[in-house]
Amino acid sequence: MTSGPLKILHVITKLDVGGAQSVVAELVREQIKAGHSVTVATGVVWASAVVSTIEGVRIREIDSLVHPLSPSRDRVAVQRLTALIRAERFDVTHTHSSKGGLLGRIAARRCGTPSVYTAHGWPFQEAAPRAQRIQSLLGEWIAGCIGNEVVCVNSVELELATRLRVGRRQHRRVIHNGIAFAEPLARSIEASTDQFKLVMVARLHKPKRADIIVEALSKLDERVCLTIVGDGDLKPSVEALSRRLGLANRVTFTGLTDPTPHFEAADAFILASDYEGMPVTVLEAMRAGLPTVANDLPGIREAIGNDCGLLTDRTAPAVAAAVSMLLADPAKAVRMGQAARARWESHFTAEAMASSYETLYRAIQRLR
């Protein structure tokens, strides 16, 4: 098993703003810090993509690497990825997202290069649309036979992959997401009695359900306000809903911006989704010392444990009831936030995540 620096290729369909992209950025940063050579192959690079700003990373844009199914463009993407892997002689190809995961693993297999695939939330979960479930499961079956290792971000998704036989036996595992260390945010240990501030940080695309949170807000004390940090195609409908419910003065939409000051100003983090892997924004809230109110989904449950927040059904009344519990006991909200910070430090740092992946990389290299 090699012990020196590795040449690592990450493959992801888009470098935009999102959970998978945040995980790639954290991995790239830690891997470069450890002395490895890191390249990221992607179809689209947004101006706001964090990965492209990391010193030392090499970005290779492959315009044929697109999200929709396109046999002609997919074939070209595989050819270009194959040429890149052969030319650079990478030690490992680490793929992310369903499409990037399939095409990247095909190219790695052609070159005899070990591959790792991280499933950032299975797209065939029960809450996903039926057509999406069928199409994605078929793709994951095929890709699982081609690649080496399949990584799930929580134990329930590992159980689902095992039950549906996604990936090869003995080559499935869990590696939790992690985010970089940051000093605790400056916040008062005394919760405000004048206003209770909720913050949601998320891309406003399916499967996120900001509409549920806005509806919940309409059932809560007028002291409760909400800041939504993020953008996406669902934003206009959520803005319209907030106006229709008479909440325009209690809901703030910031668009894409640094969420740090909004975490610092908040009393609790809130998230609603139809399905998730392990949301990076929940980890960011834990790092910020905030309690979380979120839907009872496996990855979120595994992240916050028993004492870092409240889990609810995917209904506005259930979400409103959970927020009311925190509002009625501000000291409890503070204690949950302190527990969240401690749990993040123990379980979900970027350093721990990168170390687990490096151990995996070296193990599959040994088996070549």
Side-chain angles (χ1 to χ4, degrees), residues 152-171:
C152 302
V153 295
N154 65 65
S155 58
V156 172
E157 295 211 339
L158 176 62
E159 293 170 6
L160 181 60
T162 300
R163 178 162 54 84
L164 296 178
R165 299 182 181 180
V166 173
R168 292 179 295 172
R169 189 178 176 187
Q170 306 301 323
H171 293 274

Side-chain angles (χ1 to χ4, degrees), residues 18-318:
Q21 290 78 10
S22 295
V23 170
V24 171
E26 298 287 3
L27 274 175
V28 167
R29 191 179 290 110
E30 291 295 322
Q31 288 165 351
I32 289 175
K33 190 189 304 180
H36 305 304
S37 171
V38 185
T39 299
V40 178
T42 185
V44 179
V45 182
W46 283 23
S48 56
V50 174
V51 176
S52 60
T53 67
I54 299 172
E55 185 175 353
V57 67
R58 296 187 302 164
I59 305 294
R60 295 290 183 265
E61 290 190 55
I62 298 176
D63 56 13
S64 50
L65 183 56
V66 295
H67 177 69
L69 284 174
S70 173
S72 59
R73 299 186 75 177
D74 294 346
R75 183 169 56 253
V76 173
V78 169
Q79 291 170 348
R80 293 187 61 185
L81 286 169
T82 301
L84 175 63
I85 295 169
R86 282 181 177 155
E88 297 288 343
R89 299 175 64 118
F90 293 103
D91 295 306
V92 64
T93 296
H94 188 162
T95 67
H96 309 262
S97 74
S98 296
K99 187 68 171 294
L102 173 59
L103 303 187
R105 280 180 281 183
I106 291 173
R109 178 69 174 268
R110 284 183 167 186
C111 300
T113 301
S115 66
V116 173
Y117 170 59
T118 299
H120 299 277
W122 291 121
F124 49 76
Q125 295 183 45
E126 186 177 345
R130 185 173 184 273
Q132 174 182 308
R133 294 202 309 271
I134 294 171
Q135 177 180 297
S136 61
L137 184 55
L138 179 59
E140 296 293 354
W141 274 337
I142 295 169
C145 296
I146 295 170
N148 294 93
E149 301 290 328
V150 172
V151 175
C152 302
V153 295
N154 65 65
S155 58
V156 172
E157 295 211 339
L158 176 62
E159 293 170 6
L160 181 60
T162 300
R163 178 162 54 84
L164 296 178
R165 299 182 181 180
V166 173
R168 292 179 295 172
R169 189 178 176 187
Q170 306 301 323
H171 293 274
R172 312 179 190 104
R173 69 196 65 241
V174 171
I175 296 179
H176 289 141
N177 290 341
I179 56 175
F181 180 82
E183 294 294 335
L185 293 177
R187 65 172 71 256
S188 171
I189 61 171
E190 296 295 332
S192 169
T193 56
D194 298 327
Q195 204 172 46
F196 193 83
K197 299 176 181 178
L198 302 172
V199 62
M200 174 182 179
V201 181
R203 291 192 301 174
L204 296 180
H205 301 288
K206 292 179 179 179
K208 308 301 183 187
R209 296 295 305 275
D211 58 312
I212 291 176
I213 296 174
V214 170
E215 288 181 26
L217 190 67
S218 71
K219 304 176 185 301
L220 289 163
D221 189 300
E222 290 189 356
R223 288 180 295 157
V224 183
C225 61
L226 169 67
T227 297
I228 298 178
V229 181
D231 207 345
D233 55 16
L234 295 178
K235 183 180 177 184
S237 64
V238 177
E239 287 178 320
L241 176 63
S242 67
R243 290 192 297 269
R244 190 162 63 250
L245 294 175
L247 300 172
N249 63 333
R250 292 169 59 192
V251 182
T252 301
F253 294 85
T254 71
L256 289 175
T257 187
D258 179 7
T260 304
H262 301 290
F263 280 131
E264 185 171 353
D267 296 296
F269 177 75
I270 191 163
L271 184 66
S273 305
D274 286 329
Y275 55 91
E276 291 280 3
M278 179 170 282
V280 170
T281 55
V282 170
L283 304 185
E284 290 173 339
M286 293 170 67
R287 181 178 64 185
L290 290 177
T292 290
V293 174
N295 299 145
D296 189 1
L297 298 170
I300 298 176
R301 189 186 318 131
E302 202 158 309
I304 70 174
N306 297 320
D307 55 358
C308 302
L310 299 172
L311 298 173
T312 77
D313 295 336
R314 288 196 302 274
T315 64

